[in-house]
Amino acid sequence: MQIQVLKSKIHRVKITQAELHYVGSITIDEDLMDAANLIANEKVQIVNVNNGERLETYVIKGERGSGEVCLNGPAARKAQVGDIVIIISYAGMELEEAKNYTPKLIFPDEQNKLI
């Protein structure tokens, strides 16, 4: 039996941009992606601390070192620049594997830089 478990999380990162007229997704600084073990096109859940909104989308690589976290397309309506969000990814794995799995959690500073 496979279950879904937390794979990785970027905890309390700031939205730097929202682009409504874009194809869709969330653009994330590649440094944050690497630190959180996220890859381009990976499905993520976005939880907005400011307004309680939750949505799912996929990741696009942002400029490395930029601190960029940009909601694109319809997702841009779910947050404003400056909102604090949590970006979560999950993975399916066998129950016994999941019992020993340690998710990758990162806690960026107020400028979305790695601490």
Side-chain angles (χ1 to χ4, degrees):
M1 168 179 53
Q2 281 216 335
I3 63 170
Q4 295 291 311
V5 297
L6 175 65
K7 176 185 153 271
S8 54
K9 177 170 77 167
I10 302 175
H11 191 76
R12 297 184 61 88
V13 70
K14 190 180 296 183
I15 296 294
T16 60
Q17 193 174 355
E19 292 294 331
L20 181 60
H21 300 290
Y22 191 82
V23 177
S25 66
I26 185 168
T27 305
I28 303 172
D29 176 332
E30 196 170 1
D31 284 344
L32 295 173
M33 288 177 59
D34 289 348
N37 195 27
L38 294 173
I39 63 169
N41 302 310
E42 183 171 354
K43 180 180 176 179
V44 291
Q45 181 180 45
I46 312 300
V47 181
N48 189 324
V49 174
N50 292 73
N51 65 19
E53 290 282 356
R54 290 176 171 262
L55 65 107
E56 292 181 341
T57 190
Y58 62 93
V59 175
I60 292 178
K61 285 183 187 180
E63 182 182 342
R64 187 176 294 283
S66 67
E68 177 181 24
V69 176
C70 177
L71 281 173
N72 301 303
R77 294 213 186 266
K78 302 290 186 176
Q80 296 181 15
V81 172
D83 280 1
I84 302 299
V85 298
I86 301 167
I87 302 170
I88 306 164
S89 70
Y90 301 93
M93 58 186 72
E94 295 299 322
L95 182 60
E96 290 306 312
E97 180 184 7
K99 287 179 181 179
N100 297 309
Y101 181 76
T102 302
K104 186 70 174 177
L105 310 175
I106 66 164
F107 302 87
D109 67 14
E110 292 181 2
Q111 285 75 45
N112 296 346
K113 303 293 183 181
L114 297 171
I115 297 175

